[in-house]
Amino acid sequence: MLKKTTVMVDEEDLALIKAAAAREGRPESEIFREAFHIAALRTKRWDDDWDIPAISSGRTRTAEEMSQVVHEEIVRRNS
């Protein structure tokens, strides 16, 4: 069920939304609902611990090494 609300937004942000809506051929309201949904999901908190498996490579990696691994994987997947 949708509920109507009023939100104050920056003029430049609104101009970007209007341009995107025109370019994509969809209503501005749809873009705002999508953005609002993403913002709502970001606020969600879970009470239970997540069951995320740990993977061991046999050695500790630095933050720089992990950033490099992630970067390489992003490049690989988008090639």
Side-chain angles (χ1 to χ4, degrees):
M1 177 174 167
L2 298 177
K3 177 148 176 115
K4 184 176 180 177
T5 189
T6 301
V7 178
M8 303 294 292
V9 298
D10 183 83
E11 286 183 25
E12 292 177 14
D13 292 341
L14 181 57
L16 291 170
I17 294 297
K18 287 180 175 292
R23 184 177 59 249
E24 297 172 13
R26 61 184 185 142
E28 295 166 29
S29 59
E30 185 179 312
I31 296 173
F32 281 114
R33 277 193 298 275
E34 183 180 295
F36 201 89
H37 180 66
I38 291 168
L41 289 175
R42 288 185 62 207
T43 67
K44 190 171 181 174
R45 301 292 181 256
W46 290 266
D47 294 332
D48 300 331
D49 289 336
W50 291 10
D51 185 22
I52 300 173
I55 300 171
S56 175
S57 65
R59 68 177 182 88
T60 303
R61 294 184 183 259
T62 66
E64 284 182 12
E65 287 176 315
M66 289 306 301
S67 292
Q68 182 63 32
V69 167
V70 170
H71 174 75
E72 289 171 1
E73 183 62 16
I74 291 170
V75 169
R76 185 187 72 76
R77 288 182 184 207
N78 291 306
S79 296

